[in-house]
């Protein structure tokens, strides 16, 4: 070891392989120790990069594909990870968590007590990997859990799209602590994630791309280094890349629900391709007019070149179904207000018409109503059908953020295959 301030390197810790981890001592789940695997040191001034004498401690909220991926990846590489789920994972997902050493909880209270009593190290970061329509509940639960859960670095949102006022929503975390509210920023989550059918891990589309923490603060740079050291390659910044990803999601996700198709189907159908081009152009116009997005809009290329990049990006996902379509096919709620709905809301704020994106929102509402009716009819025809006649997930299939406001007759047309699953 070289003491911080002596030479150019901070204190070095060589972490053990997973098979050689030590038993918990004095409340710490894992420890730094000298083993044969030696990481490459990096030169960072001690004042800029706090030296850690322990493995970082993370809380991941949400046990979907993205939440499970980041929890198990960080955990199996030595970080102390706790995953908060609404219900304990079952089957292969539970086995993945156990194999990676991830603690799974359904209530934050015991964790807050342990940290508050000094029996566990403080959290370095919280990753919120739920759907955006759960953000209100998640932010309230984290804020009510107490100041002990305030992360030392940041709360990070891992989600598609944009949410108006999200910084203020999660800024309540740790508001009563001496250090003040937690810092919040979004992470650009690259690629697409899904559980492997054999339960052995994850299929990652466009693997190898780095996560981007959309901030340039010292906390974001420190967190990006920690994430990279524990298996999730990350950088601080990436605002223009996030704009590109948002345009990919807004252009493709809800159209895939309407047509019930994957990315190959989207780009190979001339009618769907024309519709996606219209969605992109309207969304790009609104984003360029909004002060919050104008400075992060890619400026080195023309809008026409960006359009081709976005469509090429959609095509690169090939047989992958966008997350919105996967949710629809599984009977789960669909994110609308953070995608095309955000363009509609932002357009209203700016006094701009958004008929193309409004038509997408309306058409999705029609698809959902048709599917609910078809499911209800199928349940009624089934012999000895239990009550309620609809499975619970379908009873809760709503349109978060819009409700009855988008239920009138739609603008535009719905694909002929939209009513089929």
């Amino acid at each position: 070891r070289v003491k911080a301030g002596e030479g150019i390197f901070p204190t070095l810790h060589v972490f053990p392989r997973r098979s050689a981890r030590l038993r918990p001592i004095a409340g710490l789940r894992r420890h730094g120790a000298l083993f044969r695997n030696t990481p490459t040191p990096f030169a960072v001034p001690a004042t800029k990069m706090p030296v850690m004498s322990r493995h970082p401690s993370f809380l991941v909220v949400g046990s979907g594909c993205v939440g499970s991926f980041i929890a198990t990846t960080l955990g199996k590489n030595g970080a102390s990870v706790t995953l908060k789920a609404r219900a304990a994972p079952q089957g292969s997902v539970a086995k993945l968590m156990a194999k990676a050493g991830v603690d799974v909880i359904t209530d934050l209270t015991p964790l807050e007590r342990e940290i508050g009593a000094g029996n566990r190290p403080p959290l370095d970061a919280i990753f919120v990997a739920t759907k955006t329509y759960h953000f209100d509940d998640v932010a309230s639960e984290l804020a009510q859990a107490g100041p002990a859960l305030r992360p030392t670095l940041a709360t990070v949102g891992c989600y598609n799209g944009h949410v108006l006022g999200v910084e203020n929503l999660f800024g309540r975390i740790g508001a009563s602590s001496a250090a003040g509210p937690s810092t919040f920023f979004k992470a650009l989550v690259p690629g697409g994630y899904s559980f492997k059918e054999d339960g052995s891990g994850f299929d990652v589309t466009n693997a190898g791309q780095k996560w981007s923490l959309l901030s340039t603060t010292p906390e974001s740079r420190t967190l990006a280094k920690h994430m990279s050291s524990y298996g999730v390659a990350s950088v601080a910044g990436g605002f223009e890349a996030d704009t590109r990803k948002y345009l990919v999601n807004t252009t493709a996700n809800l159209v895939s629900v309407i047509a019930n198709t994957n990315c190959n189907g989207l780009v190979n159908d001339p009618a769907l391709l024309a519709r996606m081009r219209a969605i992109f152009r309207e969304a790009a116009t609104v984003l360029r007019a909004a002060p919050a997005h104008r400075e992060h809009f890619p400026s080195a290329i023309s809008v026409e070149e960006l359009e081709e990049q976005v469509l090429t990006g959609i095509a690169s996902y090939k047989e992958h179904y966008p997350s919105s379509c996967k949710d629809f096919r599984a009977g789960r709620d669909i994110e609308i207000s953070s995608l095309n709905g955000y363009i509609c809301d932002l357009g209203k704020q700016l006094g701009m018409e958004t008929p193309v994106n409004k038509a997408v929102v309306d058409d999705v509402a029609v698809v959902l109503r048709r599917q609910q009716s078809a499911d209800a009819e199928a349940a009624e025809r089934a012999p000895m059908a239990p009550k309620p006649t609809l499975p619970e997930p379908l009873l809760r299939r709503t349109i978060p953020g819009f409700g009855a406001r988008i239920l009138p007759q739609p603008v535009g047309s719905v694909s002929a295959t939209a009513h089929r699953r």
Side-chain angles (χ1 to χ4, degrees):
R1 289 182 179 173
V2 181
K3 292 182 179 179
E6 295 182 3
I8 62 173
F9 300 117
T11 301
L12 304 182
H13 295 278
V14 185
F15 303 118
R17 295 180 184 273
R18 178 149 193 88
S19 60
R21 287 202 185 123
L22 305 180
R23 303 291 294 177
I25 298 176
L28 295 180
R29 296 176 65 242
R30 301 177 175 92
H31 311 269
L34 292 174
F35 279 76
R36 61 182 178 274
N37 55 318
T38 304
T40 303
F42 45 85
V44 181
T47 55
K48 296 290 185 182
M49 182 78 172
V51 175
M52 297 187 67
S53 59
R54 57 174 175 81
H55 292 270
S57 179
F58 301 121
L59 171 65
V60 179
V61 182
S63 59
C65 293
V66 172
S68 296
F69 171 81
I70 190 171
T72 55
T73 302
L74 294 171
K76 71 183 180 182
N77 284 288
S80 175
V81 181
T82 300
L83 183 134
K84 164 65 171 63
R86 285 181 293 171
Q90 303 294 322
S92 60
V93 179
K95 292 179 181 179
L96 288 174
M97 297 295 169
K99 185 177 180 180
V102 175
D103 293 332
V104 179
I105 61 175
T106 57
D107 182 7
L108 292 172
T109 304
L111 178 64
E112 194 274 340
R113 289 175 179 169
E114 285 192 40
I115 295 175
N119 296 326
R120 293 184 66 142
L123 297 173
D124 294 291
I126 298 174
F127 297 97
V128 179
T130 67
K131 297 296 185 181
T132 54
Y133 45 76
H134 289 309
F135 274 10
D136 283 337
D137 293 338
V138 172
S140 296
E141 187 176 8
L142 288 170
Q144 293 170 7
L149 289 190
R150 182 195 184 278
T152 60
L153 294 175
T155 301
V156 183
C158 309
Y159 58 94
N160 285 333
H162 295 296
V163 179
L164 292 172
V166 67
E167 294 84 1
N168 295 331
L169 185 65
F170 285 98
R172 296 177 290 168
I173 301 173
S176 60
S177 68
S182 167
T183 299
F184 177 88
F185 47 76
K186 178 187 174 184
L188 165 60
V189 181
Y193 299 81
S194 59
F195 294 108
K196 289 185 175 180
E197 292 185 1
D198 62 5
S200 62
F202 302 87
D203 286 319
V204 183
T205 307
N206 293 335
Q209 300 179 23
K210 292 184 177 181
W211 289 43
S212 296
L213 306 182
L214 303 183
S215 171
T216 57
T217 62
E219 291 84 0
S220 66
R221 292 194 292 270
T222 299
L223 180 56
K225 288 185 179 294
H226 290 334
M227 292 173 65
S228 298
S229 297
Y230 289 85
V232 181
S234 306
V235 296
F239 295 97
E240 289 193 359
D242 182 61
T243 298
R244 285 186 173 89
K245 180 67 183 297
Y246 172 73
L247 287 168
V248 167
N249 293 144
T250 298
T251 300
N253 279 34
L254 296 188
V255 178
S256 74
V257 173
I258 295 169
N260 194 15
T261 189
N262 59 27
C263 292
N264 273 345
L266 290 174
V267 297
N268 291 322
D269 185 313
L272 296 179
L273 183 61
R275 187 171 195 180
M276 289 195 298
R277 288 186 180 279
I279 293 168
F280 169 88
R281 292 166 187 170
E282 185 177 88
T285 300
V286 172
L287 292 177
R288 293 177 71 190
H293 297 284
R294 187 184 303 131
E295 63 178 314
H296 301 316
F297 201 90
S299 57
I301 60 175
S302 67
V303 176
E304 291 75 20
E305 290 173 315
L306 180 60
E307 179 179 331
E308 297 308 315
Q309 286 185 1
V310 165
L311 293 172
T312 300
I314 295 169
S316 72
Y317 284 85
K318 300 179 181 179
E319 299 295 330
H320 177 79
Y321 281 83
S323 59
S324 299
C325 192
K326 288 194 290 187
D327 288 338
F328 169 68
R329 293 162 70 92
R332 294 188 292 264
D333 290 346
I334 297 173
E335 290 179 297
I336 296 177
S337 60
S338 61
L339 297 174
N340 302 75
Y342 179 79
I343 294 298
C344 296
D345 289 342
L346 192 59
K348 289 178 181 178
Q349 288 187 355
L350 299 171
M352 301 175 66
E353 296 292 329
T354 54
V356 177
N357 283 271
K358 178 62 165 58
V360 172
V361 171
D362 287 342
D363 285 353
V364 170
V366 172
V367 170
L368 294 182
R369 290 201 304 272
R370 286 178 176 174
Q371 189 59 55
Q372 286 180 334
S373 297
D375 291 339
E377 291 175 3
E380 289 175 357
R381 289 194 300 267
M384 304 297 293
K387 294 184 179 181
T389 55
L390 286 177
E392 184 180 351
L394 295 184
L395 289 174
R396 294 184 286 103
R397 182 185 282 166
T398 57
I399 306 175
F402 289 85
R405 289 191 292 124
I406 62 167
L407 294 183
Q409 291 298 317
V411 179
S413 61
V414 183
S415 168
T417 60
H419 68 286
R420 300 184 182 274
R421 297 198 66 180

